[in-house]
mmCIF file of all heavy atoms in Angstrom:
data_model
loop_
_atom_site.group_PDB
_atom_site.id
_atom_site.type_symbol
_atom_site.label_atom_id
_atom_site.label_comp_id
_atom_site.label_asym_id
_atom_site.label_seq_id
_atom_site.Cartn_x
_atom_site.Cartn_y
_atom_site.Cartn_z
ATOM 1 N N ASN A 781 136.045 282.388 17.126
ATOM 2 C CA ASN A 781 136.101 281.004 17.048
ATOM 3 C C ASN A 781 136.676 280.518 15.731
ATOM 4 O O ASN A 781 137.557 279.639 15.729
ATOM 5 C CB ASN A 781 134.731 280.368 17.360
ATOM 6 C CG ASN A 781 134.170 280.448 18.677
ATOM 7 O OD1 ASN A 781 134.940 280.828 19.670
ATOM 8 N ND2 ASN A 781 132.927 280.354 18.903
ATOM 9 N N ALA A 782 136.210 281.140 14.669
ATOM 10 C CA ALA A 782 136.772 280.776 13.313
ATOM 11 C C ALA A 782 138.336 281.076 13.259
ATOM 12 O O ALA A 782 139.157 280.311 12.713
ATOM 13 C CB ALA A 782 136.009 281.511 12.216
ATOM 14 N N ARG A 783 138.759 282.248 13.849
ATOM 15 C CA ARG A 783 140.183 282.668 13.899
ATOM 16 C C ARG A 783 140.931 281.676 14.741
ATOM 17 O O ARG A 783 142.029 281.161 14.312
ATOM 18 C CB ARG A 783 140.288 283.923 14.490
ATOM 19 C CG ARG A 783 141.648 284.453 14.634
ATOM 20 C CD ARG A 783 141.731 285.810 15.241
ATOM 21 N NE ARG A 783 143.052 286.021 15.698
ATOM 22 C CZ ARG A 783 143.316 287.022 16.590
ATOM 23 N NH1 ARG A 783 142.461 287.907 17.016
ATOM 24 N NH2 ARG A 783 144.551 287.194 16.926
ATOM 25 N N ALA A 784 140.380 281.119 15.848
ATOM 26 C CA ALA A 784 141.095 280.123 16.613
ATOM 27 C C ALA A 784 141.236 278.855 15.875
ATOM 28 O O ALA A 784 142.295 278.215 15.975
ATOM 29 C CB ALA A 784 140.356 280.005 17.939
ATOM 30 N N ARG A 785 140.177 278.504 15.124
ATOM 31 C CA ARG A 785 140.283 277.272 14.317
ATOM 32 C C ARG A 785 141.331 277.383 13.224
ATOM 33 O O ARG A 785 142.131 276.469 13.030
ATOM 34 C CB ARG A 785 138.943 276.855 13.749
ATOM 35 C CG ARG A 785 137.965 276.360 14.685
ATOM 36 C CD ARG A 785 136.784 275.773 14.026
ATOM 37 N NE ARG A 785 136.044 276.633 13.096
ATOM 38 C CZ ARG A 785 135.129 277.627 13.466
ATOM 39 N NH1 ARG A 785 134.742 277.728 14.763
ATOM 40 N NH2 ARG A 785 134.580 278.364 12.534
ATOM 41 N N ARG A 786 141.434 278.541 12.585
ATOM 42 C CA ARG A 786 142.366 278.831 11.520
ATOM 43 C C ARG A 786 143.860 278.749 12.153
ATOM 44 O O ARG A 786 144.797 278.169 11.580
ATOM 45 C CB ARG A 786 142.201 280.176 10.891
ATOM 46 C CG ARG A 786 143.186 280.490 9.745
ATOM 47 C CD ARG A 786 143.065 281.817 9.181
ATOM 48 N NE ARG A 786 143.327 282.844 10.248
ATOM 49 C CZ ARG A 786 142.795 284.042 10.180
ATOM 50 N NH1 ARG A 786 142.050 284.541 9.183
ATOM 51 N NH2 ARG A 786 143.098 284.958 11.153
ATOM 52 N N GLU A 787 143.974 279.393 13.254
ATOM 53 C CA GLU A 787 145.299 279.432 13.863
ATOM 54 C C GLU A 787 145.733 277.952 14.293
ATOM 55 O O GLU A 787 146.929 277.570 14.111
ATOM 56 C CB GLU A 787 145.357 280.330 15.163
ATOM 57 C CG GLU A 787 145.313 281.811 14.812
ATOM 58 C CD GLU A 787 145.065 282.665 15.942
ATOM 59 O OE1 GLU A 787 144.823 282.199 17.093
ATOM 60 O OE2 GLU A 787 145.083 283.960 15.720
ATOM 61 N N ALA A 788 144.797 277.214 14.752
ATOM 62 C CA ALA A 788 145.069 275.804 15.119
ATOM 63 C C ALA A 788 145.472 275.004 13.856
ATOM 64 O O ALA A 788 146.430 274.238 13.883
ATOM 65 C CB ALA A 788 143.944 275.120 15.834
ATOM 66 N N ALA A 789 144.710 275.315 12.775
ATOM 67 C CA ALA A 789 145.084 274.501 11.503
ATOM 68 C C ALA A 789 146.449 275.011 10.971
ATOM 69 O O ALA A 789 147.251 274.191 10.520
ATOM 70 C CB ALA A 789 143.962 274.842 10.435
ATOM 71 N N ASP A 790 146.757 276.261 11.034
ATOM 72 C CA ASP A 790 148.124 276.751 10.636
ATOM 73 C C ASP A 790 149.256 276.124 11.496
ATOM 74 O O ASP A 790 150.206 275.667 10.974
ATOM 75 C CB ASP A 790 148.162 278.278 10.822
ATOM 76 C CG ASP A 790 147.366 278.971 9.712
ATOM 77 O OD1 ASP A 790 147.022 278.342 8.712
ATOM 78 O OD2 ASP A 790 147.111 280.224 9.899
ATOM 79 N N ARG A 791 148.926 275.968 12.746
ATOM 80 C CA ARG A 791 149.925 275.328 13.768
ATOM 81 C C ARG A 791 150.118 273.861 13.330
ATOM 82 O O ARG A 791 151.295 273.416 13.265
ATOM 83 C CB ARG A 791 149.502 275.523 15.134
ATOM 84 C CG ARG A 791 150.401 275.040 16.213
ATOM 85 C CD ARG A 791 149.978 275.455 17.632
ATOM 86 N NE ARG A 791 148.631 275.289 17.922
ATOM 87 C CZ ARG A 791 147.713 276.282 17.974
ATOM 88 N NH1 ARG A 791 148.019 277.535 17.818
ATOM 89 N NH2 ARG A 791 146.437 276.000 18.213
ATOM 90 N N GLU A 792 149.035 273.170 13.048
ATOM 91 C CA GLU A 792 149.073 271.800 12.666
ATOM 92 C C GLU A 792 149.849 271.629 11.439
ATOM 93 O O GLU A 792 150.654 270.727 11.184
ATOM 94 C CB GLU A 792 147.666 271.239 12.439
ATOM 95 C CG GLU A 792 147.607 269.779 12.060
ATOM 96 C CD GLU A 792 146.193 269.216 11.781
ATOM 97 O OE1 GLU A 792 145.289 269.950 12.135
ATOM 98 O OE2 GLU A 792 146.116 268.091 11.385
ATOM 99 N N ILE A 793 149.608 272.576 10.374
ATOM 100 C CA ILE A 793 150.466 272.464 9.195
ATOM 101 C C ILE A 793 151.899 272.637 9.316
ATOM 102 O O ILE A 793 152.699 271.913 8.821
ATOM 103 C CB ILE A 793 149.876 273.569 8.199
ATOM 104 C CG1 ILE A 793 148.485 273.172 7.621
ATOM 105 C CG2 ILE A 793 150.790 273.796 6.928
ATOM 106 C CD1 ILE A 793 147.761 274.147 6.843
ATOM 107 N N ARG A 794 152.255 273.636 10.263
ATOM 108 C CA ARG A 794 153.661 273.864 10.565
ATOM 109 C C ARG A 794 154.286 272.621 11.173
ATOM 110 O O ARG A 794 155.377 272.191 10.847
ATOM 111 C CB ARG A 794 153.759 275.062 11.457
ATOM 112 C CG ARG A 794 153.655 276.341 10.793
ATOM 113 C CD ARG A 794 154.036 277.509 11.583
ATOM 114 N NE ARG A 794 153.489 277.513 12.976
ATOM 115 C CZ ARG A 794 152.362 278.142 13.365
ATOM 116 N NH1 ARG A 794 151.601 278.661 12.434
ATOM 117 N NH2 ARG A 794 152.021 278.037 14.648
ATOM 118 N N HIS A 795 153.565 271.946 12.020
ATOM 119 C CA HIS A 795 154.051 270.664 12.727
ATOM 120 C C HIS A 795 154.226 269.573 11.721
ATOM 121 O O HIS A 795 155.180 268.841 11.759
ATOM 122 C CB HIS A 795 153.136 270.276 13.813
ATOM 123 C CG HIS A 795 153.163 271.313 15.001
ATOM 124 N ND1 HIS A 795 152.167 271.193 15.991
ATOM 125 C CD2 HIS A 795 154.062 272.166 15.322
ATOM 126 C CE1 HIS A 795 152.479 272.190 16.907
ATOM 127 N NE2 HIS A 795 153.641 272.837 16.479
ATOM 128 N N LEU A 796 153.226 269.482 10.780
ATOM 129 C CA LEU A 796 153.291 268.408 9.814
ATOM 130 C C LEU A 796 154.491 268.594 8.821
ATOM 131 O O LEU A 796 155.161 267.677 8.456
ATOM 132 C CB LEU A 796 152.035 268.238 9.095
ATOM 133 C CG LEU A 796 150.816 267.697 9.905
ATOM 134 C CD1 LEU A 796 149.442 267.828 9.126
ATOM 135 C CD2 LEU A 796 151.149 266.190 10.264
ATOM 136 N N LEU A 797 154.646 269.901 8.482
ATOM 137 C CA LEU A 797 155.891 270.224 7.583
ATOM 138 C C LEU A 797 157.108 269.943 8.306
ATOM 139 O O LEU A 797 158.092 269.393 7.736
ATOM 140 C CB LEU A 797 155.796 271.739 7.170
ATOM 141 C CG LEU A 797 154.638 272.062 6.251
ATOM 142 C CD1 LEU A 797 154.602 273.615 6.055
ATOM 143 C CD2 LEU A 797 154.742 271.341 4.904
ATOM 144 N N ALA A 798 157.280 270.270 9.582
ATOM 145 C CA ALA A 798 158.433 269.971 10.305
ATOM 146 C C ALA A 798 158.708 268.463 10.345
ATOM 147 O O ALA A 798 159.790 267.996 10.184
ATOM 148 C CB ALA A 798 158.344 270.493 11.713
ATOM 149 N N TYR A 799 157.679 267.735 10.636
ATOM 150 C CA TYR A 799 157.765 266.321 10.606
ATOM 151 C C TYR A 799 158.232 265.793 9.250
ATOM 152 O O TYR A 799 159.210 265.021 9.268
ATOM 153 C CB TYR A 799 156.450 265.682 11.036
ATOM 154 C CG TYR A 799 156.489 264.093 10.907
ATOM 155 C CD1 TYR A 799 157.144 263.368 11.923
ATOM 156 C CD2 TYR A 799 155.996 263.393 9.725
ATOM 157 C CE1 TYR A 799 157.238 262.011 11.831
ATOM 158 C CE2 TYR A 799 156.097 262.064 9.711
ATOM 159 C CZ TYR A 799 156.725 261.329 10.616
ATOM 160 O OH TYR A 799 156.822 260.053 10.633
ATOM 161 N N GLY A 800 157.626 266.194 8.190
ATOM 162 C CA GLY A 800 157.977 265.757 6.875
ATOM 163 C C GLY A 800 159.385 266.028 6.479
ATOM 164 O O GLY A 800 159.984 265.260 5.746
ATOM 165 N N ARG A 801 159.893 267.172 6.877
ATOM 166 C CA ARG A 801 161.233 267.568 6.505
ATOM 167 C C ARG A 801 162.339 267.111 7.420
ATOM 168 O O ARG A 801 163.418 266.835 7.125
ATOM 169 C CB ARG A 801 161.346 269.055 6.403
ATOM 170 C CG ARG A 801 160.576 269.610 5.168
ATOM 171 C CD ARG A 801 161.033 269.221 3.848
ATOM 172 N NE ARG A 801 162.383 269.692 3.611
ATOM 173 C CZ ARG A 801 163.172 269.308 2.734
ATOM 174 N NH1 ARG A 801 162.832 268.347 1.892
ATOM 175 N NH2 ARG A 801 164.381 269.784 2.528
ATOM 176 N N GLU A 802 162.057 267.118 8.794
ATOM 177 C CA GLU A 802 163.045 266.906 9.853
ATOM 178 C C GLU A 802 163.086 265.468 10.450
ATOM 179 O O GLU A 802 163.971 265.038 11.074
ATOM 180 C CB GLU A 802 162.916 267.827 10.900
ATOM 181 C CG GLU A 802 162.881 269.339 10.461
ATOM 182 C CD GLU A 802 164.099 269.827 9.861
ATOM 183 O OE1 GLU A 802 165.166 269.228 10.142
ATOM 184 O OE2 GLU A 802 164.123 270.735 8.992
ATOM 185 N N PHE A 803 161.952 264.754 10.307
ATOM 186 C CA PHE A 803 161.833 263.496 11.066
ATOM 187 C C PHE A 803 161.617 262.305 10.159
ATOM 188 O O PHE A 803 161.227 261.144 10.583
ATOM 189 C CB PHE A 803 160.705 263.534 11.985
ATOM 190 C CG PHE A 803 160.875 264.522 13.111
ATOM 191 C CD1 PHE A 803 160.624 265.850 12.998
ATOM 192 C CD2 PHE A 803 161.420 264.165 14.326
ATOM 193 C CE1 PHE A 803 160.804 266.772 13.937
ATOM 194 C CE2 PHE A 803 161.610 264.989 15.279
ATOM 195 C CZ PHE A 803 161.260 266.348 15.175
ATOM 196 N N HIS A 804 161.845 262.412 8.850
ATOM 197 C CA HIS A 804 161.467 261.376 7.907
ATOM 198 C C HIS A 804 162.648 260.664 7.310
ATOM 199 O O HIS A 804 162.741 260.257 6.153
ATOM 200 C CB HIS A 804 160.593 261.911 6.786
ATOM 201 C CG HIS A 804 159.670 260.885 6.251
ATOM 202 N ND1 HIS A 804 159.967 260.208 5.058
ATOM 203 C CD2 HIS A 804 158.484 260.436 6.653
ATOM 204 C CE1 HIS A 804 159.050 259.364 4.788
ATOM 205 N NE2 HIS A 804 158.111 259.488 5.804
ATOM 206 N N GLY A 805 163.676 260.471 8.144
ATOM 207 C CA GLY A 805 164.799 259.554 7.798
ATOM 208 C C GLY A 805 165.671 260.072 6.663
ATOM 209 O O GLY A 805 165.771 261.355 6.508
ATOM 210 N N ASP A 806 166.283 259.267 5.867
ATOM 211 C CA ASP A 806 167.277 259.605 4.838
ATOM 212 C C ASP A 806 166.501 260.216 3.678
ATOM 213 O O ASP A 806 167.174 260.860 2.785
ATOM 214 C CB ASP A 806 167.988 258.358 4.318
ATOM 215 C CG ASP A 806 168.847 257.799 5.303
ATOM 216 O OD1 ASP A 806 169.323 258.551 6.280
ATOM 217 O OD2 ASP A 806 169.228 256.662 5.294
ATOM 218 N N ARG A 807 165.203 260.134 3.624
ATOM 219 C CA ARG A 807 164.487 260.666 2.453
ATOM 220 C C ARG A 807 163.309 261.624 2.876
ATOM 221 O O ARG A 807 162.179 261.227 2.914
ATOM 222 C CB ARG A 807 163.862 259.512 1.611
ATOM 223 C CG ARG A 807 165.047 258.632 1.103
ATOM 224 C CD ARG A 807 164.604 257.568 0.122
ATOM 225 N NE ARG A 807 164.361 258.362 -1.058
ATOM 226 C CZ ARG A 807 163.709 257.815 -2.072
ATOM 227 N NH1 ARG A 807 163.431 256.564 -2.158
ATOM 228 N NH2 ARG A 807 163.453 258.503 -3.237
ATOM 229 N N PRO A 808 163.718 262.837 3.274
ATOM 230 C CA PRO A 808 162.571 263.675 3.783
ATOM 231 C C PRO A 808 161.709 264.023 2.535
ATOM 232 O O PRO A 808 162.080 263.818 1.434
ATOM 233 C CB PRO A 808 163.387 264.968 4.187
ATOM 234 C CG PRO A 808 164.679 264.926 3.536
ATOM 235 C CD PRO A 808 165.013 263.441 3.377
ATOM 236 N N TYR A 809 160.457 264.421 2.748
ATOM 237 C CA TYR A 809 159.598 264.777 1.727
ATOM 238 C C TYR A 809 160.211 265.950 1.000
ATOM 239 O O TYR A 809 160.822 266.855 1.476
ATOM 240 C CB TYR A 809 158.275 265.155 2.323
ATOM 241 C CG TYR A 809 157.377 264.027 2.688
ATOM 242 C CD1 TYR A 809 157.453 263.400 3.958
ATOM 243 C CD2 TYR A 809 156.304 263.595 1.882
ATOM 244 C CE1 TYR A 809 156.764 262.356 4.257
ATOM 245 C CE2 TYR A 809 155.614 262.438 2.265
ATOM 246 C CZ TYR A 809 155.765 261.840 3.455
ATOM 247 O OH TYR A 809 155.046 260.745 3.756
ATOM 248 N N LYS A 810 159.959 265.818 -0.340
ATOM 249 C CA LYS A 810 160.448 266.889 -1.264
ATOM 250 C C LYS A 810 159.615 268.194 -0.986
ATOM 251 O O LYS A 810 158.375 268.116 -0.707
ATOM 252 C CB LYS A 810 160.396 266.463 -2.700
ATOM 253 C CG LYS A 810 161.315 265.289 -2.910
ATOM 254 C CD LYS A 810 161.361 264.964 -4.402
ATOM 255 C CE LYS A 810 162.220 263.823 -4.699
ATOM 256 N NZ LYS A 810 163.665 263.963 -4.432
ATOM 257 N N LEU A 811 160.326 269.290 -1.228
ATOM 258 C CA LEU A 811 159.627 270.546 -0.928
ATOM 259 C C LEU A 811 158.419 270.753 -2.033
ATOM 260 O O LEU A 811 157.453 271.281 -1.526
ATOM 261 C CB LEU A 811 160.674 271.688 -1.336
ATOM 262 C CG LEU A 811 161.750 271.835 -0.301
ATOM 263 C CD1 LEU A 811 162.765 272.862 -0.683
ATOM 264 C CD2 LEU A 811 161.240 272.172 1.085
ATOM 265 N N ASP A 812 158.574 270.324 -3.234
ATOM 266 C CA ASP A 812 157.463 270.455 -4.232
ATOM 267 C C ASP A 812 156.227 269.708 -3.764
ATOM 268 O O ASP A 812 155.091 270.264 -3.780
ATOM 269 C CB ASP A 812 157.877 270.024 -5.554
ATOM 270 C CG ASP A 812 158.836 270.872 -6.284
ATOM 271 O OD1 ASP A 812 158.858 272.125 -5.820
ATOM 272 O OD2 ASP A 812 159.586 270.439 -7.118
ATOM 273 N N ALA A 813 156.365 268.458 -3.263
ATOM 274 C CA ALA A 813 155.230 267.680 -2.776
ATOM 275 C C ALA A 813 154.500 268.415 -1.587
ATOM 276 O O ALA A 813 153.396 268.460 -1.538
ATOM 277 C CB ALA A 813 155.667 266.291 -2.481
ATOM 278 N N LEU A 814 155.372 268.783 -0.563
ATOM 279 C CA LEU A 814 154.847 269.421 0.649
ATOM 280 C C LEU A 814 154.107 270.766 0.205
ATOM 281 O O LEU A 814 153.095 271.133 0.786
ATOM 282 C CB LEU A 814 155.939 269.691 1.634
ATOM 283 C CG LEU A 814 156.572 268.432 2.269
ATOM 284 C CD1 LEU A 814 157.791 268.766 3.153
ATOM 285 C CD2 LEU A 814 155.447 267.631 3.084
ATOM 286 N N ALA A 815 154.748 271.497 -0.652
ATOM 287 C CA ALA A 815 154.227 272.769 -1.156
ATOM 288 C C ALA A 815 152.743 272.571 -1.790
ATOM 289 O O ALA A 815 151.805 273.298 -1.452
ATOM 290 C CB ALA A 815 155.091 273.480 -2.003
ATOM 291 N N GLN A 816 152.768 271.556 -2.661
ATOM 292 C CA GLN A 816 151.440 271.312 -3.285
ATOM 293 C C GLN A 816 150.362 270.868 -2.269
ATOM 294 O O GLN A 816 149.298 271.355 -2.309
ATOM 295 C CB GLN A 816 151.578 270.191 -4.440
ATOM 296 C CG GLN A 816 150.345 269.987 -5.210
ATOM 297 C CD GLN A 816 150.553 269.044 -6.302
ATOM 298 O OE1 GLN A 816 151.580 268.359 -6.379
ATOM 299 N NE2 GLN A 816 149.647 268.884 -7.180
ATOM 300 N N ALA A 817 150.685 270.050 -1.357
ATOM 301 C CA ALA A 817 149.747 269.495 -0.364
ATOM 302 C C ALA A 817 149.332 270.596 0.567
ATOM 303 O O ALA A 817 148.161 270.606 1.042
ATOM 304 C CB ALA A 817 150.369 268.311 0.321
ATOM 305 N N SER A 818 150.173 271.557 0.923
ATOM 306 C CA SER A 818 149.904 272.552 1.919
ATOM 307 C C SER A 818 149.401 273.831 1.340
ATOM 308 O O SER A 818 149.062 274.767 2.080
ATOM 309 C CB SER A 818 151.159 272.815 2.794
ATOM 310 O OG SER A 818 152.194 273.533 1.964
ATOM 311 N N GLY A 819 149.490 273.981 -0.014
ATOM 312 C CA GLY A 819 149.064 275.201 -0.686
ATOM 313 C C GLY A 819 150.128 276.434 -0.532
ATOM 314 O O GLY A 819 149.824 277.485 -0.571
ATOM 315 N N MET A 820 151.306 276.030 -0.247
ATOM 316 C CA MET A 820 152.365 276.873 -0.109
ATOM 317 C C MET A 820 153.424 276.873 -1.317
ATOM 318 O O MET A 820 153.082 275.980 -2.189
ATOM 319 C CB MET A 820 153.177 276.672 1.138
ATOM 320 C CG MET A 820 152.375 276.761 2.434
ATOM 321 S SD MET A 820 153.201 276.239 3.891
ATOM 322 C CE MET A 820 154.193 277.683 4.167
ATOM 323 N N THR A 821 154.447 277.702 -1.303
ATOM 324 C CA THR A 821 155.404 277.573 -2.334
ATOM 325 C C THR A 821 156.521 276.717 -1.734
ATOM 326 O O THR A 821 156.716 276.592 -0.539
ATOM 327 C CB THR A 821 155.982 278.978 -2.709
ATOM 328 O OG1 THR A 821 156.608 279.554 -1.549
ATOM 329 C CG2 THR A 821 154.911 279.919 -3.272
ATOM 330 N N PRO A 822 157.358 276.128 -2.633
ATOM 331 C CA PRO A 822 158.570 275.445 -2.071
ATOM 332 C C PRO A 822 159.446 276.242 -1.255
ATOM 333 O O PRO A 822 159.799 275.710 -0.285
ATOM 334 C CB PRO A 822 159.272 274.929 -3.360
ATOM 335 C CG PRO A 822 158.139 274.824 -4.329
ATOM 336 C CD PRO A 822 157.188 275.957 -4.037
ATOM 337 N N SER A 823 159.734 277.468 -1.634
ATOM 338 C CA SER A 823 160.511 278.351 -0.726
ATOM 339 C C SER A 823 159.777 278.647 0.542
ATOM 340 O O SER A 823 160.499 278.844 1.574
ATOM 341 C CB SER A 823 160.887 279.571 -1.537
ATOM 342 O OG SER A 823 159.713 280.425 -1.760
ATOM 343 N N GLY A 824 158.464 278.740 0.514
ATOM 344 C CA GLY A 824 157.707 279.048 1.810
ATOM 345 C C GLY A 824 157.785 277.819 2.715
ATOM 346 O O GLY A 824 157.692 278.019 3.931
ATOM 347 N N ILE A 825 158.084 276.654 2.292
ATOM 348 C CA ILE A 825 158.138 275.478 3.191
ATOM 349 C C ILE A 825 159.325 275.659 4.061
ATOM 350 O O ILE A 825 159.284 275.304 5.252
ATOM 351 C CB ILE A 825 158.166 274.167 2.324
ATOM 352 C CG1 ILE A 825 156.932 273.949 1.551
ATOM 353 C CG2 ILE A 825 158.457 273.008 3.228
ATOM 354 C CD1 ILE A 825 155.691 273.836 2.260
ATOM 355 N N ARG A 826 160.422 276.134 3.498
ATOM 356 C CA ARG A 826 161.695 276.239 4.214
ATOM 357 C C ARG A 826 161.500 277.183 5.457
ATOM 358 O O ARG A 826 162.283 276.956 6.440
ATOM 359 C CB ARG A 826 162.803 276.757 3.328
ATOM 360 C CG ARG A 826 163.208 275.812 2.279
ATOM 361 C CD ARG A 826 164.395 276.407 1.494
ATOM 362 N NE ARG A 826 164.703 275.692 0.301
ATOM 363 C CZ ARG A 826 165.481 274.581 0.226
ATOM 364 N NH1 ARG A 826 165.978 274.103 1.292
ATOM 365 N NH2 ARG A 826 165.678 273.989 -0.927
#
């Protein structure tokens, strides 16, 4: 059950990152801000 919750959280993070980078108009969220909020590296966001 914990694994399923973790996988769901990881999926949600990927969807939110896609939204922030691909659907946010002329000013997509910056990689640094998304990396800090998600606990990833800027290159990992890509």
Side-chain angles (χ1 to χ4, degrees):
N781 290 342
R783 177 181 164 195
R785 288 190 305 274
R786 181 185 63 204
E787 289 170 354
D790 289 343
R791 187 171 41 257
E792 180 181 354
I793 288 170
R794 289 192 308 272
H795 291 162
L796 291 169
L797 291 172
Y799 175 78
R801 292 296 294 166
E802 307 295 338
F803 294 86
H804 206 263
D806 292 338
R807 302 188 71 187
Y809 280 82
K810 295 188 182 292
L811 294 173
D812 288 337
L814 293 173
Q816 185 175 12
S818 66
M820 300 173 76
T821 64
S823 62
I825 298 298
R826 292 183 191 275

